[in-house]
């Protein structure tokens, strides 16, 4: 039993170590709250864990007030994304045709903000989609961006 538990814990640690982490870029206040933090729009940067040289910038609303300060508020579903080449593009391993790159909780239990990477092989382009979902009802609001890759560097698919 101990080797199985050790294997599971090491797999979890490896997944956490390779999970993209949000790097705060900036924020602006949108509504002053007398008690608790203000409502704001935050911009975070995420380096694509499967593609070296690509960074995605996601802006989204963050609810303030008492509930927001305690982590109990449900943030709005709207988000915007812009991904750019920030260095030489390379692929440490072949990519899936479509893969979730990042997911973050935006309500206490049921709502998540997601970023999915898709490969448009015919155009040698990486397409990134952000949207939110809920257990019961997701939101059709979304944002998409694309990063063309030089044809001299074909995108490897698995």
């Amino acid at each position: 039993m101990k080797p199985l538990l050790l294997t599971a814990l090491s797999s979890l640690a490896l997944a956490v170590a390779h999970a993209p982490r949000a790097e705060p870029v900036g924020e602006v206040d949108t509504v002053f709250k007398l008690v608790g933090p203000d409502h704001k729009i935050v911009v975070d940067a995420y380096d694509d864990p499967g593609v070296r040289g690509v960074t995605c910038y996601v802006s989204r609303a963050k609810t303030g007030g008492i509930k927001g300060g305690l982590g109990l508020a449900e943030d709005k579903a709207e988000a915007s994304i812009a991904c750019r080449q920030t260095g030489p593009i390379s692929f440490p391993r072949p990519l899936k045709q479509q893969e979730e790159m990042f997911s973050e909780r935006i309500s206490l239990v049921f709502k998540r903000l997601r970023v999915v990477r898709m490969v448009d092989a015919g155009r040698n382009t990486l397409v990134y989609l952000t949207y939110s979902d809920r257990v019961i009802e997701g939101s059709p609001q979304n944002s998409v961006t694309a990063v063309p890759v030089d044809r001299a560097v074909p995108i490897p698919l698995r």
Side-chain angles (χ1 to χ4, degrees):
M1 181 88 173
K2 283 187 180 182
L4 183 60
L5 180 61
L6 188 57
T7 302
L9 288 175
S10 63
S11 294
L12 179 63
L14 187 61
V16 168
H18 286 74
R21 291 194 172 86
E23 293 179 36
V25 174
E27 61 184 44
V28 295
D29 289 347
T30 57
V31 176
F32 172 76
K33 300 302 276 182
L34 190 57
V35 179
D38 293 344
H39 294 324
K40 52 187 78 183
I41 297 172
V42 297
V43 177
D44 295 320
Y46 302 90
D47 292 325
D48 186 329
V51 182
R52 290 189 190 115
V54 173
T55 302
C56 292
Y57 298 90
V58 177
S59 67
R60 62 183 178 84
K62 191 156 177 89
T63 304
I66 295 171
K67 283 185 177 181
L70 296 174
L72 302 175
E74 183 171 312
D75 292 336
K76 296 197 180 287
E78 298 92 4
S80 182
I81 188 168
C83 299
R84 298 293 184 263
Q85 180 175 351
T86 54
I89 292 180
S90 65
F91 304 92
R93 65 188 188 292
L95 302 177
K96 291 182 181 178
Q97 178 65 40
Q98 180 172 314
E99 181 175 21
E100 184 169 277
M101 184 184 103
F102 173 77
S103 175
E104 179 181 327
R105 181 181 65 82
I106 56 175
S107 78
L108 185 59
V109 178
F110 300 113
K111 196 186 234 180
R112 298 192 74 77
L113 174 71
R114 300 185 183 277
V115 175
V116 175
R117 178 195 337 101
M118 302 171 193
V119 177
D120 180 351
R123 294 172 185 82
N124 212 47
T125 298
L126 301 166
V127 179
Y128 296 86
L129 170 72
T130 187
Y131 67 100
S132 71
D133 65 0
R134 287 176 107 152
V135 172
I136 297 171
E137 177 186 336
S139 170
Q141 295 180 347
N142 62 79
S143 182
V144 68
T145 187
V147 177
V149 179
D150 188 328
R151 293 226 180 245
V153 182
I155 301 171
L157 291 173
R158 54 175 150 152

